[in-house]
Amino acid sequence: MTQTVVTLGAHVFDVQVRPVEAIPAGQGATLVEQIRFGPAGTAAGTAVTLAKLGAAVRTAGAVGADPIGDLLLAMLARHGVDTSLVLRRADVQTSASVLPIRPDGSRPAFHVPGANLTYEPSDAPHEEIARATHLHLGGPELMGGEKAAKILAPARAAGVVTSADLLAPGDPGVLAWLEPALSSLDYLLPNEDQVLGLTGAATLEEGARALVARGVGCVAVTRGARGALVVTAAETFAVPAFAVPVIDTTGCGDAFSAGFLRGVGLGRPPRDAAVLGCAAAGLVAQGLGTDHGEFDLAAADTFAAATPVLAMA
């Protein structure tokens, strides 16, 4: 089954440093084990894992006309992602983050939004999107729901499966900002904190149901070591995470999105798609960066079949 995906939105150049327990005072220095960089962001990072899993991927967005943008696009191309739809901005830098990775794999961030904030619906490659099978919008809150709907609604009307993931922390104001786009989404792929913050719900299931009530077809929520919760109008179920040694959680949400959407594109039921999402996240978590791991669809399926899962407390 052919799956052609346009990932549109946030493109970020990540620099990861590990392990970091504290920032040295003054002019001090600390020796670390590893420093690397890689492609990231809810569009670019998702594109990488989708390509690894066998989808044909084009990515669209904006990066600066700077050396960081050159590197970011080259790394995406190396992973098999078509970057011809990415715009170059001469007056703003490429979005970038520096991520000090703690020993437990968690990471704070120093972030420059950069060119991501300049992208408008008029920049979107609407004809190319209409020819794809899937459109994944990474970070719709960067442009707001009204503008995002101008990209999502025509795609959905053309028969394209639509999805989105979020960057911003959950907040009721963000939900109001996004609401015009929600009814144009077949799938929303947030994390637990975002759902609870967006909706103010007492439980995660209540929060996900509130988003479904606003028009989203399916909400698949990542919950870290507790796996994922999937909610539609017809069903609710949880899928566990896999028991792996966690090096870095950077990009695990993007990897879950990619695995889930690849499962959807292959015609797998939502539960099996969520298992593939958790498998992709588990593979990425074992190394540094969103693009960690040399795996394909067969390897991810083998990993899912052979790897123990964690308890869903």
Side-chain angles (χ1 to χ4, degrees):
M1 183 179 296
T2 301
Q3 182 182 23
T4 57
V5 187
V6 174
T7 59
L8 186 152
H11 289 66
V12 182
F13 181 89
D14 269 3
V15 179
Q16 303 103 12
V17 185
R18 69 171 287 268
V20 177
E21 298 187 64
I23 304 297
Q27 298 295 312
T30 298
L31 296 179
V32 296
E33 294 177 14
Q34 190 177 11
I35 298 175
R36 73 179 301 274
F37 53 80
T42 44
T46 305
V48 167
T49 303
L50 274 165
K52 287 181 181 181
L53 295 174
V57 187
R58 305 184 76 183
T59 196
V63 302
D66 53 15
I68 295 177
D70 295 341
L71 280 170
L72 177 55
L73 295 182
M75 287 184 292
L76 288 168
R78 197 174 302 128
H79 285 290
V81 177
D82 181 339
T83 64
S84 61
L85 302 178
V86 177
L87 305 177
R88 305 298 298 266
R89 305 295 201 204
D91 55 349
V92 63
Q93 80 156 80
T94 300
S95 177
S97 294
V98 176
L99 306 172
I101 313 299
R102 298 188 179 103
D104 67 357
S106 63
R107 74 279 184 263
F110 300 92
H111 181 64
V112 175
N116 286 329
L117 298 181
T118 71
Y119 202 81
E120 295 287 337
S122 58
D123 293 318
H126 295 282
E127 291 184 5
E128 288 82 358
I129 291 170
R131 288 194 290 267
T133 62
H134 290 68
L135 168 65
H136 180 67
L137 183 52
E141 69 276 22
L142 297 178
M143 63 176 65
E146 289 188 6
K147 291 183 177 180
K150 293 179 180 179
I151 300 172
L152 291 165
R156 204 175 189 206
V160 178
V161 176
T162 60
S163 60
D165 190 8
L166 306 178
L167 282 168
D171 180 273
V174 174
L175 180 58
W177 176 242
L178 287 173
E179 188 147 12
L182 296 182
S183 62
S184 296
L185 283 172
D186 294 306
Y187 300 94
L188 181 63
L189 303 150
N191 64 41
E192 181 172 15
D193 289 341
Q194 288 168 333
V195 170
L196 294 175
L198 287 171
T199 64
T203 70
L204 183 59
E205 182 176 342
E206 289 176 8
R209 290 199 173 282
L211 295 170
V212 170
R214 285 171 166 81
V216 178
C218 172
V219 180
V221 190
T222 54
R223 304 189 297 167
R226 292 183 296 124
L229 181 74
V230 179
V231 177
T232 70
E235 63 179 341
T236 297
F237 60 85
V239 171
F242 292 96
V244 297
V246 175
I247 298 299
D248 174 22
T249 57
T250 302
C252 288
D254 297 332
F256 174 86
S257 294
F260 184 89
L261 295 173
R262 183 65 177 127
V264 168
L266 290 166
R268 297 183 182 182
R271 185 182 297 273
D272 292 343
V275 169
L276 182 56
C278 287
L283 289 162
V284 168
Q286 296 179 66
L288 204 57
T290 300
D291 60 342
H292 171 75
E294 298 295 330
F295 57 87
D296 58 12
L297 178 62
D301 283 338
T302 298
F303 170 87
T307 307
V309 298
L310 296 170
M312 294 186 292

